[in-house]
Amino acid sequence: MILCEKTYGKLKRGIQDMRYRVKKCAILLMLCLTLTGCVPPWQWKYMDSIPQTPPGLRPSMSVAETTPAQTSVQGFDSNLSQENSPDSAQENSPDSAQENSPDSARENSPDSTQENSPDSTQGNSPDSAQGNNPDSARENNADSARENSPDSNQEPPDTAYDFTICFAGDINLDENWDTTLFMDQQPDGIYDCISPELVEVMRDADIMCLNNEFTYSTGGAPLPGKAYTFRADPDRVTVLEQLGVDTVTLANNHVYDYGEEALLDTFEVLEAAGVHYFGAGRTLEEAMAPLYLEVEGKTVALVAASRAEKYKMTLQATDSSPGILRCYDTELFLQAIREGSENADFCIAFVHWGTEYSFELEQAQTDTGREYLDAGADVVIGAHSHCLQGMEYYDGKPIIYSLGNYWFNSKTLDTMLLQLHFSGDDTEEELTVQVVPAVQTGCRTVYASQPEERQRIYDFLESISVNVEISDGGIVTETDR
């Protein structure tokens, strides 16, 4: 009889325990389905038909305390690593005496607030659903991580890029020079000096750069013995804004025409106007430093140096004095190129070199131009000759030896805007070089709008280049010749 009573008692407790476990699993399953949107919250009322209190659990604990309305989303996120780990299976398994035993004082006593209190999100949070089914711990852990990850519903980042950098040659805003005097007489200022087609190209570029062949200042004095010295009033910097200029190279033979004081003024004027500059600085370190610009998720490095004077009157910066970066000896410029190449996606080297008003290339141009590409430059661009010079592809990378005058004097000369179009993604990249042909004449720079005029300039550029051909649309490509 005693044996039968014991057997009956065990059976009864086993049935109660089983019903409690079914209830607990159902609750946790409903929590998961509710959080994932599979079951609306109002269907929780159907859970009332299942017994509320398991053996040994304090009577105050009820289903209402574990409903989604009482569960903190923040607590859920913070417990992902703790609750969903495989080790949590031991704590929540059916065989765990610590949680389900009536003798467990910590888990089941009325004073316990850690796991079973209404505010607790650790023991009763949706994360514990995984722990209550030891056989599915690993599978559910992976599923939970995927479903609850902040990035689970986001598309992979777009790595594609597509941007254009535009370059122009020499520009001069000296107060007593023909170009500035002419501009001041025009009702629309610089817009009457550079044709609207060209201005549109300049302003539409993601980065617009030109050669600033003068200094911004009202101070300083002309360098003794120098035939041409150029200085513009600081207010003239607004012309750069009108043209959409983002940055200028100062590594040339006229930015120091009025000495150190005017050069320092130039830095301050450009900085105040928000125009970047490179190739010159208050110290040699600054003059050598690449200018880094961000566009379309890519970093572009710009570096510049000059070797344009027979008599070296434009001073190179030192550790304690301002100046430009020179490249008669190429070592410092090569260091700057290497630094830019290592820290950017693309590196462009701008060099002031060549013989004025000559289409012939100096040996130093071809030799050092290739050296700059070998050091890591992706493109080499030149200025100073006041006329266009040819182009060359070396090791698949372009050298544009001179952009010539852009808007510099009253002479009639062919000129151009150079567009570098970068595009690609993580798997491939492409650089398209394009010429926008124009003519500088009578203090105006005008787009070559007629097909015959454009073709004339393209043909001329091909004739003075090393190994390029130019399409009807101005696209420059490498040839075998």
Side-chain angles (χ1 to χ4, degrees), residues 344-364:
D345 298 291
F346 306 104
C347 180
I348 301 172
F350 204 114
V351 197
H352 212 68
W353 58 5
T355 303
E356 293 185 357
Y357 298 106
S358 173
F359 304 126
E360 298 295 325
L361 300 176
E362 297 177 354
Q363 188 67 39

Side-chain angles (χ1 to χ4, degrees), residues 11 42 60 70 135 146 179 187 209 326 333 335 344 465 478:
L11 179 62
W42 58 264
S60 61
Q70 300 296 324
D135 296 333
R146 286 193 295 268
T179 49
C209 176
R326 290 174 172 172
F333 194 34
Q335 289 181 28
S465 293
E478 183 177 7

Side-chain angles (χ1 to χ4, degrees), residues 7 48 62 64 77 153 160-161 173 194 213 239 250 284 287 303 349 354 373 395 408 440:
T7 303
D48 294 339
S62 66
D77 291 339
N153 295 323
Y161 61 91
L173 292 170
I194 299 177
E213 192 95 359
V239 171
L250 298 180
L284 179 59
V303 293
L373 293 179
D395 197 22
F408 189 82
Q440 175 199 268

Side-chain angles (χ1 to χ4, degrees), residues 79-86 88 127 130-131 136-148:
N79 291 322
L80 273 176
S81 59
Q82 180 176 351
E83 295 289 349
N84 290 330
S85 66
S88 66
D127 298 346
Q130 179 184 339
S136 62
R138 181 174 300 176
E139 178 181 354
N140 289 339
N141 185 47
D143 293 341
S144 176
R146 286 193 295 268
E147 291 176 6
N148 297 312

